[in-house]
Structure formats: structure tokens, C-alpha cells
Amino acid sequence: MAYTPRLTAEGILNNFHWYSDNPFYQSGYGMPNCTCYAWGRFWEIGDPNSTKENKPIHLPTGNGGQWWGRAVADGYYDTGQTPQLGAVICFSDNYGGAGHVAIVEEILEDGTIRCSNSAWRSTYFWISTIRKIDNKYNWSHYTCQGFIYNPFADQPIPPPPPPVTILKKHKFPWAVLTNKIKRNRRTFF
């Protein structure tokens, strides 16, 4: 199954991934909210048939700026500095705010990523484009801490390795002497 990016809000409203079964919604921090959105989207990726499978109970439930540290300390999900489809991108806030989390939906050839987002008491859903500058995915007043990888997000097949160059045989600059050995052939009947 190929990864299907979420580029619109269609199907989010009243969906249990973001509402009734989402711990942020249950605690009064539902949509619009980056953490509620990211938690629900992470789950939706692992539950494409909406059967309530693969609930991400080990995904952090604090403020966005706390997700990275908790995920690294917990070690349940793989983490790293390279974006992958379906991964949570975690940001700290340079002004001391609560941080931000979003989901990587597309990775372009130049390394630019497109992420789906929501914002606490603000925008319900939007897509952000984040360019890699100086080997970092910083955005607005946020500093990228890293990525929490979703084990259920199918990654694109990596490109095949470049073809192997086969060197042509070169003729020796000198003559090679060979001895011909004649063999006696006997025929047996």
C-alpha cells in the first residue's frame, strides 16, 4: 500500500481519530490544536480502514515542544533528523511558547517537505511548505528538533543504485606467447 498524503481537511470533522478516541479531545484540547491533529493523523496512517487498529498509545501527549524529548527518552518509536512520510516533525518555540508538531505529507526532490498542521485556538487545518536551509528544517519562529517516525507509513521505494560502470578490456602492449600442446586422441569403441 502506498502512502496517501492528507492535503485537505476532508474527513477529519467528528472522526474518532481526532475526536472521541483522541486523548487531546478527551482532555479538552481538541481541534484546532497541533497536538490533537498530529496524534490523530499519526493514528489515521496506521488505521487506514478506520477499524481503531494501531492506536498510538506511546505517542507523547504533552505540548508540541515536549514531544521530541519524550519520544527520544521513551524509545518506542524510531526518531531521527531525516524526514520520512507520515513522521511527526517536532519544533521548539524560539520565543518560549508551547512548540509545534505537524505531519510530513510530501518530500520533494530538493528536500523541501510539505506538512499538514492545525493550531491551538487558530487554524483548523493547513499545509505548510518547509525548506531545508543550512541542513535544518526550521520554520518561522520554530526550531526543528527532529522527526518521530510512523512505523505504519509506507515509504517510497528508494531509487535503484546507479549503474555499475564496466571497464573495457585493454589489449596488452606486448605479445603473449602461448604453447600449443597437442594431445593424442584415442577413440575407444
Side-chain angles (χ1 to χ4, degrees):
M1 181 172 80
Y3 182 82
T4 303
R6 173 171 281 287
L7 302 175
T8 70
E10 184 178 332
I12 294 175
L13 186 62
N14 296 320
N15 181 312
F16 67 88
H17 293 111
W18 291 275
Y19 287 88
S20 60
D21 291 0
N22 186 303
F24 291 95
Y25 176 83
Q26 293 169 349
S27 64
Y29 294 96
M31 298 287 285
N33 181 349
C34 69
T35 52
C36 181
Y37 174 77
W39 205 94
R41 175 65 176 134
F42 195 90
W43 185 13
E44 179 191 40
I45 293 165
D47 182 29
N49 297 318
S50 295
T51 57
K52 297 191 178 187
E53 293 180 304
N54 305 315
K55 191 172 184 177
I57 59 173
H58 297 284
L59 201 59
T61 54
N63 288 331
Q66 297 170 331
W67 280 37
W68 175 251
R70 288 186 182 173
V72 169
D74 179 39
Y76 187 82
Y77 294 107
D78 289 338
T79 57
Q81 298 299 313
T82 303
Q84 287 184 3
L85 296 175
V88 178
I89 183 171
C90 303
F91 295 100
S92 62
D93 188 326
N94 297 338
Y95 298 119
H100 185 70
V101 288
I103 301 291
V104 177
E105 300 292 353
E106 294 179 318
I107 303 170
L108 307 180
E109 286 183 25
D110 67 355
T112 298
I113 57 177
R114 296 186 73 210
C115 301
S116 58
N117 302 259
S118 184
W120 172 244
R121 295 185 177 171
S122 182
T123 307
Y124 185 80
F125 177 89
W126 84 93
I127 298 294
S128 61
T129 300
I130 305 170
R131 288 173 179 39
K132 189 174 187 179
I133 299 172
D134 295 330
N135 212 28
K136 297 176 183 168
Y137 285 98
N138 297 334
W139 172 61
S140 182
H141 60 280
Y142 296 110
T143 298
C144 177
Q145 298 165 305
F147 299 88
I148 303 170
Y149 301 128
N150 190 326
F152 299 102
D154 292 328
Q155 299 302 311
I157 298 169
V164 176
T165 304
I166 299 174
L167 300 174
K168 292 181 180 180
K169 289 185 176 181
H170 296 285
K171 291 184 179 182
F172 291 103
W174 60 88
V176 177
L177 300 174
T178 60
N179 290 326
K180 292 183 181 179
I181 300 174
K182 293 183 181 180
R183 295 185 182 178
N184 289 331
R185 293 186 185 182
R186 288 187 184 176
T187 306
F188 296 98
F189 294 113

